[in-house]
Structures are given as structure tokens and as C-alpha cells.
Amino acid sequence: MSTVRVAGVGLTPFGAHPDRTTRDLFAEAGVTATRDAKVPLGDIDAVYFGNFVGELAEDQGHQGPIVAESLGVQAPATRFESACASSGVAVRHAVRAIDSGRADVVIVGGAERMTHVGTDGATAMLATAADAIHESNAGMTFPGAYAIMTDAYFRRHGGSRRDLAHVAVKNHEHALENEYAQFQSRVTVDEVLEAPTVASPLGLLDACPVTDGASALVLVSEQYAAEHTIDAPVAVTGSGQGTDRAALQDRETPCRTPATERAAVEAYEMAGIAADTVDVVEVHDCFTCAEVFALEGLGLFDPGEAITAAREGATWRDGVLPVNCSGGLKAKGHPVGATGASQIVELTRLLRGDHPNSDYVADALTGVAHSAGGTVASTTVHVLEVVG
Amino acid sequence: MSTVRVAGVGLTPFGAHPDRTTRDLFAEAGVTATRDAKVPLGDIDAVYFGNFVGELAEDQGHQGPIVAESLGVQAPATRFESACASSGVAVRHAVRAIDSGRADVVIVGGAERMTHVGTDGATAMLATAADAIHESNAGMTFPGAYAIMTDAYFRRHGGSRRDLAHVAVKNHEHALENEYAQFQSRVTVDEVLEAPTVASPLGLLDACPVTDGASALVLVSEQYAAEHTIDAPVAVTGSGQGTDRAALQDRETPCRTPATERAAVEAYEMAGIAADTVDVVEVHDCFTCAEVFALEGLGLFDPGEAITAAREGATWRDGVLPVNCSGGLKAKGHPVGATGASQIVELTRLLRGDHPNSDYVADALTGVAHSAGGTVASTTVHVLEVVG
């Protein structure tokens, strides 16, 4: 067994880059990460790459070997797909490969491009993450699915669109100084409430954007870090992966996310922590409501209690539990295959002190990243700790 | 470290099943495998699933959770994609997860359906395994790419279409009694030579078919097998994964496959064997020429020497090195995401004595499976041994 150290991180700016390709975006993030890590490309044992719909977006499957080549790495390369949790799952497998002694150095991340296909194209692509037979082919879209989940939550626990609007306001504020964020602009509660309806009760500003971008991490074993005198104070001490039924109709209730609960249990146990040890969190806020579901699934708030957390200031960067200091998917953006690993990038920057919002979490020692695919049919949870 | 035992295997019949879905096909193979293994579904630690183009073929991505649910398994589920090596890569990761002690029981396999989209649809889907920028978008198809590789081989080493035809004749003969094979019919050398040209020098009968089907393996740790008194005489003792540049233009030569060589080196070293120890082989014969490349990449024949192996009888089931006793991709079929794991299924059946062709390899103790993606830009090699 070996502790896994985050030796280097890299992101491309998230946004609209219709002239870039997936391989090109990942190469940029990967080069940034390997330079940050000061690890020679020849030391990389494997490339783990998350991507959701390269086949649809650019007629390109088989991207494992392709992105490895673009990065200039000759090593076994594997592509993972789990919808919006694609690179979360890639990270999970990379962490387990290193901590079980099978690898010393893994470059893991993801990339996606989708802005060039237009709204209808993006909606169709995103729908492939839902259940095609029972959901998408019946006409349900992704916002529609999350709207169902939100409505169920309101009925069971109460809460309002105004409460959710505070999540959007918070995450936009957090992203203001994040140089990688797609949006560096404030929104107000009224703007969120008055935005066009996408799928009631969710409006345009409850939803994360369509984004192009890439993320990369260089993960190393404790031994490698020691032998090469690598400065890597942040370690991944816990990893969990969870699964749930895909179609909402088969869930016990649409407003609870057991896949998150399962992944959290595994990750916390591996790290030897409890939920109340957590100092800072990055969660999968594909919609404002998703942040609420995630916080409860992670055991950070009791069921029904997370809906007012943003409104009451608890989850602001200066609150008792800072959530999505990166800006989250909402303001930082959501290049689908890249997002899971990007959360680890942002938590690492926050914990080691080189994130624009690091000052707000200067005493943080334990961070948690939550990545979810589809309507949370797949999840990963990772625990990061400052180990010095 | 733990030896990995193959506790159970399952296949659906390979062929045209346009009324079946991917999840349904995998559930069938998975149920067969778990029953063969006599392992309770609740003991499964993870589901590793290979699939190439579910997004294109049935508007369904995110198939990890979906197939797990179809199988009735509640466990973390991961989808792997590496073109035609998708489930080969899934098996590789499953083997390493168990041998490093991270899991005790993994169900791993794959599924694909493509017959329902017609020839043009299938051609377009398969092309996503090549390099979209440098190859597919310039008009190259998969047969075209392999035709280039074949032509390069003929120029460098000699050989003829007639030599390749013997590979097709051999594999069809091998499949005659294979109840899962798509084709249980002989072909003659003349029929192969007279078949319509697809991409010169490859004709229709040099090419594997488009296929629907699924495969599944239940892999267990040594400890689990002992504790549950599982009869699993076949172990996976070696695993290798290799990568090469995707576009043919970037290869040193199109007629050599370094990805296979790299994966073989890793697998043989892990198993502690040499190429001359190998008794029986299943290779990725997406085209007749691909069998030739594979045998040389695996070090079973020297460069230039495998072209006449089938013609001279060396690789027939009654020859010195039986190759593709299952019928190979050529006659057994090639449901893309399922193929890699299906080779392990067939080798297991051959080695443990319950394959229609087992009598021909009754003394075999060591088998090798070779799975390749695209024009061999990604590969896996697995060594199986009878350990009692």
C-alpha cells in the first residue's frame, strides 16, 4: 500500500474553444501538469483518460492512445467513460493502481468539447447519459430529469427556487478570480429567478454551461515522491465509487442519491475520516439542485438541511463549510469528461495555497471531491489531505 | 499479490440480434458466467464493462451502471473503451485489481450491437477507431487501413492473397462445432480469392463480420476460490497492455505492431514464460492479415514467417501451434466491445476441456489471448495457465 501524492495539476481555460480538438486540449492540460510535477514524461507508467462523447462530438473514439501520443507519452493508455463522472472514475482507478503498488506515476484527467455542436446537438449528446430506453427515447432531457429530482425534493423537504438561486450566486462569486473559469461574472438572485425556464423549476441560470476544456493530474506513489524529492503536500487518502439504477423510475425516490452515499462511505473509511472532519468540498453542481443532493449524499448535511445552506451562508467560501470555491460546474464550467479530475485539481490548488480562494481556506487540511454521472447513477468520492 | 482464477465464463451466440439491446445481451452472458462460477451476485466487488460505440449504436452512453443493473448486481461499475480492444482492456484492469488485492470477485466482459445500423452505419462507427483527423476524415475506412498494412507486409516480406486465404479457411473450419459462432460454415481458398474486393488486397472473406453479442468472465482471487471451494483450474498469470501511435502515417512501418510486442513482453514477464512455452493462442483476426501481424508481434513467429503458417498447417487446431480454435473474429464473429473478453472465455473452455475443439489441445497448459484496437494502436495480451 502506498499513499498517493498529487505531484502536479493542470487545466486549460474552460469555455468555448471550437477550434480546439480533444487531443489538443488534453495535451495542454497534461503538459501543464507534468511541468508542475517536474516529472519526466518517460517516468509515466500509464495514462488514464476520461471522455464522454468523443465519438459523437468529433467522430473520434479510441482516444486513449491518441491523447497519450498528443502528450508525448509512450505508455499503456486507457479511456474511461461514466458520463459526467468519466474522469472521476479515471482518477479512482489511478488512485487504486498506485496505492496497490501497480504503478508509481500515472497521468490522469479528461477532456471534452461540445460547444461546436450547438444547443440541440449538446442536448442530444448529454441525453446519452440517461436511460435511453426508459427516459431519453420517451423525450426526457437532462434538465427535465433534474427538474423531476428537484420537484421531489421540494415536496419531501420543502425549499424554493429562491433557495437554489443562492447556490448559483455563491458559485459565480467564488469564480470571480478563477483564471480558468468559463464565467467570471456575478449573478443575482433576481437574475436567476427571472431567467428563462428550461425545465420547471429549473431556469437557465440554475444550469451549468456547455463547455470545452481539459484537466490533468500527475499522481505518484509515496516512494516515487521520496526518491525524486517531489514537493507534493497533498495526498489522495480516500477513494470511493458508487452506482445506482440509471432510470429515475427505478429509484426509491428521485431526491436522494444512494450512489453518492455509497461512494462516500467507501472513501471516508479508506481515509479514516468522518464527515465532520471535512474542511472544504467540490461537488458536482450540474444544476443548483445537484449541489444540494450532493451535500446530503456526502453526509455533510442531513436530508432536507442542505437546501438553505447557501442562502444562510454556510457553504460560502467564508462560511463554516466552503463548497465549490472553484466556482463549481455552474461558473467554472463543465467540460464533461474533464470535470471529475478538475475538481481534484482545484482542491489541490486550494489546499496547497496557490488557488485564488486559498486565503479563505487557509486552515483547511481535508478536502472532498464528488463527481457524478447522469442523474447520479455513477459517482466517485475522493478525500484529499494535506500531509506535508 | 494473488493469482487470478477464471471461475466462470459466458457468451451469447454471436450473430445478428437486431431485437436485442446491449444491456440485455450482457445480462445473458453475465448470468451464464455467474452460474458457471457458482458465485452469488452479492459477492461481486465490481463490474468492468467494455463497449465501443453504444452512444452511436443505441444512443446510450453511461453503460456501466446500466449493465450492472441489468445483471442484477449492485457494485461499482466502470465502462472501458479502447475500440476493438475494449473488453481486453477491461480484463487487464480487472486482473490487476484482483492480483493486487483490491478486489476478490470481478465480473468483466463486454457487449456490442451493430448489425441493426446497416453497412454504411457500421463502416462509419468502426472508423471512429482510427485517427479522425489524419485518416477517417480523409476518407480512409478500416478495411482500407488494413489493406495498407497488408500491402506493406507483402512488399517487405513477400506473401500472397492465397496465403491469407488459408487463414480464413482455417478459422471457418475451427468454428464448425462452436455453438456460439456467427458462421458455422466452411469456406475454400478459391471462394476467398474470388470474393468481392473490399479494399485491395483484402476481399469480403478476408474480413470479419459485423456482429451483435456479449461475453463475460467471473474472475476471483486465489483466496476467494479457496474459501468457497471453487473449481477454477485456469488462472490468468500474465497481463500486458500496449499502445502505439494511432495514425498509420506515424508508424515506423505499417506492417509491424509494436503495441502487441510491448503488451506481450509485459505479459510474458509477469507470467514467467517465454514465447516458446505457449501451447494455444487466440488472436485478433479482424482481417486475415491481422492474424499474421499478431503472431509475429507476440513473438510466436519471426517477422515474415507467419504469412505461410496457416498454409503450411502450423496454426491449424492439429498443428504445432493452434491459433484461433474458436474460429477467431473471422468465423466466431466480432461484437466489438465483447471480443477481448470472449477470447479469454474461449481459451478457458479450451484449457479446461469443455470446448468443442478441446480434444485438439488436450495437452495444452499455457494459452495466450491477444486483443487489439483500431490498427493495433492499443493492445492487451493475457497469459492463461492450467494450474489445477
Side-chain angles (χ1 to χ4, degrees):
Chain A
M1 289 287 293
S2 166
T3 303
V4 179
R5 297 282 184 139
V6 185
V9 302
L11 293 179
T12 66
F14 285 5
H17 305 295
D19 56 324
R20 304 284 297 277
T21 61
T22 301
R23 67 184 77 176
D24 174 49
L25 288 164
F26 185 73
E28 178 180 328
V31 165
T32 303
T34 52
R35 286 180 181 167
D36 184 40
K38 298 185 180 56
V39 165
L41 295 182
D43 283 5
I44 294 170
D45 294 316
V47 179
Y48 284 28
F49 178 69
N51 174 259
F52 177 37
V53 284
E55 296 79 2
L56 299 173
E58 51 183 12
D59 299 322
Q60 186 71 75
H62 210 193
Q63 295 233 33
I66 286 172
V67 300
E69 180 185 356
S70 290
L71 185 51
V73 170
Q74 165 49 252
T78 301
R79 180 266 185 115
F80 295 81
E81 186 274 320
S82 195
C84 324
S86 291
S87 59
V89 170
V91 168
R92 187 288 202 286
H93 283 267
V95 165
R96 298 319 315 263
I98 294 174
D99 76 20
S100 60
R102 293 202 280 108
D104 283 306
V105 184
V106 177
I107 186 159
V108 54
E112 203 81 44
R113 54 186 292 240
M114 206 181 285
T115 66
H116 62 298
V117 301
T119 306
D120 287 353
T123 300
M125 289 180 191
L126 292 166
T128 65
D131 188 311
I133 296 173
H134 302 296
E135 297 183 318
S136 318
N137 287 351
M140 187 153 82
T141 65
F142 238 73
Y146 271 89
I148 287 173
M149 297 169 83
T150 306
D151 188 61
Y153 186 100
F154 285 162
R155 288 168 187 271
R156 173 173 286 208
H157 299 298
S160 66
R161 292 189 62 227
R162 182 171 289 275
D163 292 327
L164 294 179
H166 282 273
V167 173
V169 173
K170 167 178 74 72
N171 291 348
H172 271 262
E173 188 75 25
H174 288 178
L176 284 181
E177 290 90 34
N178 189 345
E179 65 274 39
Y180 298 104
Q182 184 163 0
F183 298 119
Q184 290 182 281
S185 54
R186 286 187 173 88
V187 296
T188 67
V189 168
D190 284 343
E191 283 170 338
V192 178
L193 293 176
E194 289 159 16
T197 300
V198 176
S200 181
L202 302 174
L204 187 62
L205 296 183
D206 286 289
C208 70
V210 174
T211 316
D212 307 327
S215 60
L217 303 158
V218 176
L219 301 181
V220 303
S221 64
E222 196 77 40
Q223 181 178 353
Y224 182 93
E227 286 174 359
H228 296 80
T229 330
I230 289 180
D231 179 28
V234 177
V236 182
T237 56
S239 176
Q241 185 179 3
T243 303
D244 195 3
R245 294 167 162 163
L248 290 181
Q249 68 194 46
D250 295 322
R251 311 274 178 94
E252 183 189 332
T253 167
C255 64
R256 196 172 159 178
T257 54
T260 298
E261 296 166 19
R262 291 172 182 129
V265 165
E266 182 185 356
Y268 295 171
E269 186 175 311
M270 181 175 157
I273 69 162
D276 59 15
T277 328
V278 180
D279 299 314
V280 59
V281 190
E282 290 284 312
V283 301
H284 192 87
D285 61 319
C286 48
F287 297 90
T288 46
C289 53
E291 179 166 311
V292 173
F293 304 149
L295 294 175
E296 295 179 6
L298 289 169
L300 299 170
F301 289 84
D302 290 334
E305 298 298 316
I307 183 68
T308 53
R311 190 189 76 209
E312 294 173 348
T315 51
W316 280 69
R317 55 190 170 180
D318 58 354
V320 295
L321 179 65
V323 175
N324 283 338
C325 289
S326 64
L329 279 60
K330 177 64 190 76
K332 175 169 124 274
H334 181 35
V336 177
T339 282
S342 79
Q343 296 170 320
I344 312 279
V345 169
E346 294 293 77
L347 270 181
T348 299
R349 298 203 300 149
L350 285 162
L351 289 172
R352 70 185 191 184
D354 58 293
H355 191 281
N357 282 325
S358 279
D359 286 351
Y360 291 93
V361 294
D363 298 331
L365 295 174
T366 304
V368 163
H370 161 267
S371 181
T375 49
V376 200
S378 66
T379 59
T380 59
V381 172
H382 288 94
V383 179
L384 276 70
E385 293 184 73
V386 179
V387 296
Chain B
M1 288 285 297
S2 165
T3 303
V4 178
R5 298 283 184 137
V6 185
V9 302
L11 294 178
T12 65
F14 284 7
H17 306 296
D19 56 326
R20 303 284 297 277
T21 61
T22 302
R23 68 185 75 178
D24 174 48
L25 288 164
F26 185 72
E28 178 180 328
V31 165
T32 303
T34 52
R35 286 180 179 164
D36 184 40
K38 300 185 177 57
V39 166
L41 295 183
D43 283 5
I44 294 170
D45 293 316
V47 179
Y48 283 29
F49 178 70
N51 174 259
F52 177 37
V53 284
E55 296 79 1
L56 298 173
E58 49 183 16
D59 300 322
Q60 187 69 75
H62 210 193
Q63 295 234 32
I66 286 171
V67 299
E69 179 184 356
S70 290
L71 186 52
V73 170
Q74 165 48 254
T78 301
R79 179 267 184 114
F80 295 82
E81 185 276 319
S82 195
C84 325
S86 290
S87 58
V89 169
V91 169
R92 187 290 200 286
H93 283 268
V95 165
R96 296 322 313 264
I98 294 175
D99 76 21
S100 60
R102 292 203 281 107
D104 283 308
V105 184
V106 178
I107 187 160
V108 52
E112 204 81 45
R113 55 186 290 241
M114 207 181 284
T115 66
H116 64 297
V117 302
T119 306
D120 287 355
T123 301
M125 289 179 191
L126 293 165
T128 64
D131 187 309
I133 297 175
H134 302 296
E135 296 182 320
S136 318
N137 287 352
M140 187 152 82
T141 64
F142 238 74
Y146 272 88
I148 288 173
M149 298 169 84
T150 306
D151 188 61
Y153 185 101
F154 284 164
R155 287 170 187 271
R156 174 174 284 207
H157 299 299
S160 67
R161 292 190 63 229
R162 181 170 291 272
D163 292 327
L164 294 180
H166 282 273
V167 174
V169 172
K170 168 178 72 73
N171 291 347
H172 272 261
E173 189 75 24
H174 287 177
L176 284 180
E177 290 90 33
N178 189 345
E179 66 271 39
Y180 298 105
Q182 185 163 359
F183 298 119
Q184 288 181 285
S185 54
R186 286 188 173 89
V187 297
T188 67
V189 168
D190 285 343
E191 284 170 335
V192 177
L193 292 176
E194 290 159 16
T197 300
V198 176
S200 180
L202 302 174
L204 187 63
L205 296 182
D206 285 288
C208 71
V210 173
T211 317
D212 307 326
S215 60
L217 304 159
V218 176
L219 302 181
V220 303
S221 64
E222 196 76 42
Q223 180 177 353
Y224 182 93
E227 286 175 358
H228 296 80
T229 330
I230 288 180
D231 179 29
V234 177
V236 183
T237 56
S239 175
Q241 183 179 2
T243 304
D244 195 3
R245 295 170 161 158
L248 289 181
Q249 69 194 46
D250 294 322
R251 310 275 178 93
E252 184 189 331
T253 165
C255 64
R256 195 173 159 179
T257 53
T260 298
E261 297 166 19
R262 290 172 182 129
V265 165
E266 181 185 357
Y268 295 171
E269 186 175 310
M270 182 175 157
I273 68 163
D276 58 17
T277 329
V278 180
D279 299 314
V280 59
V281 192
E282 290 284 312
V283 300
H284 192 86
D285 61 317
C286 48
F287 297 90
T288 46
C289 54
E291 177 165 313
V292 174
F293 304 149
L295 293 174
E296 295 178 6
L298 289 169
L300 299 170
F301 289 84
D302 289 335
E305 299 299 316
I307 183 68
T308 53
R311 190 188 74 208
E312 294 173 349
T315 51
W316 279 68
R317 54 192 171 180
D318 59 354
V320 295
L321 179 66
V323 175
N324 283 339
C325 289
S326 65
L329 278 61
K330 177 64 189 77
K332 175 169 125 273
H334 181 33
V336 178
T339 283
S342 77
Q343 296 170 321
I344 313 278
V345 170
E346 294 294 77
L347 271 181
T348 299
R349 297 202 301 149
L350 285 161
L351 289 172
R352 71 185 190 186
D354 58 293
H355 191 282
N357 283 325
S358 279
D359 286 352
Y360 290 93
V361 293
D363 298 331
L365 296 175
T366 304
V368 164
H370 161 265
S371 180
T375 50
V376 200
S378 66
T379 60
T380 59
V381 172
H382 287 95
V383 179
L384 276 70
E385 294 184 72
V386 178
V387 296

